[in-house]
Amino acid sequence: MILPPGQRLHPDHPRFGLPWYAHRAPLSTPELALDVIGPDGDRIVLREDDLAALPTREQRADFHCVTTWSRLDLHWSGTGFRELYETVIRPRVDLDADARFLHFRGVDGYADESCLDDVLAEDVLLARTLDGDRLTVRHGGPVRLVAPAHYGFKSVKHLARIELRRATKRRLPLASHHPRGRVAREERFLGLPDRLVRVVYRRLVLSPTLWWYRRHERG
Ligand SMILES: Nc1nc2c(c(=O)[nH]1)N[C@H]1C(S)=C(S)[C@@H](COP(=O)(O)O)O[C@H]1N2
Ligand SMILES: [Mo]
């Protein structure tokens, strides 16, 4: 078994994230209503039926959190993000070639931004099931992003909104995470040595965050 640099295998798959979002997730899975907003404010809403009409893809992938825990071989299924972009977003939302930043936001208020090239990668999924079951709130239901080549902070859970932008609008606390977060390059944190960051995460951040998320468990 080969893990990426600085990662350790975790014994189970925890519910996890930035501590101040642990209690903001809904208690049960909300109905899907995903706003997609273009750079000039053009807007569509995607619902369950819109996604159900698109082809579903199965995918096995490892999951790596920036705080150094990893899970191997998770089994997701859902809509390929590229498929959604090409068949729904591009035809229905007023876009131009400069709209290259995508801001993903969950119903809990958590958000992260990715560049278009990163989310159009073959393995980026709008996931609806995990290990054969519909996603519950615990792991991001009703629909979450899964971007396996990037640290988990890119894989926004219980998606509510996707905004396409011409320029980045990263702000704190987002700005502290590396803007691309590629696991193979150990892009953990902007402006600090990643080998130091991994030790700080592992020793100081991981356990308290796991404990906090367990206190705010979701089904
Ligand atoms: N909506 C939302 N998405 C989120 C987070 C969050 O707090 N809220 N945390 C991110 C982080 S840091 C990680 S590691 C993964 C954890 O996913 P899991 O709870 O399914 O293990 O979700 C990511 N997506
Ligand atoms: Mo994470």
Side-chain angles (χ1 to χ4, degrees):
M1 177 188 64
I2 299 172
L3 282 167
Q7 294 301 112
R8 304 250 173 100
L9 194 61
H10 197 69
D12 54 26
H13 182 185
R15 185 173 103 83
F16 203 83
L18 297 185
W20 42 97
Y21 292 101
H23 68 286
R24 296 196 187 159
L27 290 165
S28 62
T29 318
E31 218 170 280
L32 179 66
L34 176 53
D35 279 341
V36 183
I37 305 172
D40 298 312
D42 198 26
R43 172 173 177 267
I44 60 171
V45 184
L46 299 179
R47 298 188 192 278
E48 196 57 50
D49 291 350
D50 301 301
L51 289 194
L54 296 170
T56 296
R57 182 154 63 72
E58 309 262 326
Q59 179 169 302
R60 289 189 173 274
D62 302 341
F63 192 91
H64 309 290
C65 170
V66 73
T67 63
T68 72
W69 66 265
S70 289
R71 292 291 295 167
L72 300 179
D73 203 30
L74 298 184
H75 180 197
W76 306 98
S77 80
T79 307
F81 189 82
R82 188 208 286 254
E83 173 98 32
L84 181 85
Y85 183 79
E86 295 297 344
T87 61
V88 179
I89 299 180
R90 255 194 355 161
R92 289 175 56 196
V93 180
D94 195 14
L95 289 179
D96 55 47
D98 294 333
R100 302 194 66 77
F101 294 94
L102 286 89
H103 190 86
F104 295 90
R105 187 184 162 95
V107 297
D108 56 350
Y110 178 92
D112 194 75
E113 191 182 83
S114 290
C115 59
L116 188 61
D117 292 342
D118 283 351
V119 284
L120 292 186
E122 202 53 55
D123 58 357
V124 176
L125 206 62
L126 221 63
R128 295 205 294 157
T129 79
L130 172 61
D131 295 329
D133 297 320
R134 285 304 293 262
L135 278 178
T136 62
V137 196
R138 184 173 158 77
H139 288 301
V143 163
R144 77 177 294 169
L145 201 68
V146 173
H150 302 260
Y151 288 116
F153 63 80
K154 292 279 168 200
S155 292
V156 178
K157 296 186 279 190
H158 14 87
L159 276 175
R161 192 168 79 198
I162 304 175
E163 255 182 81
L164 292 104
R165 298 171 170 173
R166 298 195 182 93
T168 179
K169 277 199 187 161
R170 284 164 49 86
R171 291 180 301 250
L172 284 169
L174 269 191
S176 51
H177 278 149
H178 191 284
R180 297 190 73 187
R182 286 169 293 184
V183 177
R185 296 178 183 227
E186 200 173 353
E187 294 171 333
R188 294 184 196 269
F189 207 90
L190 201 59
L192 287 176
D194 292 300
R195 285 169 158 277
L196 170 71
V197 171
R198 68 159 89 139
V199 176
V200 173
Y201 273 141
R202 186 181 296 140
R203 300 242 174 105
L204 301 178
V205 177
L206 180 51
S207 296
T209 308
L210 285 168
W211 176 83
W212 188 247
Y213 265 81
R214 272 197 301 269
R215 266 196 63 161
H216 295 281
E217 198 53 77
R218 295 289 188 272

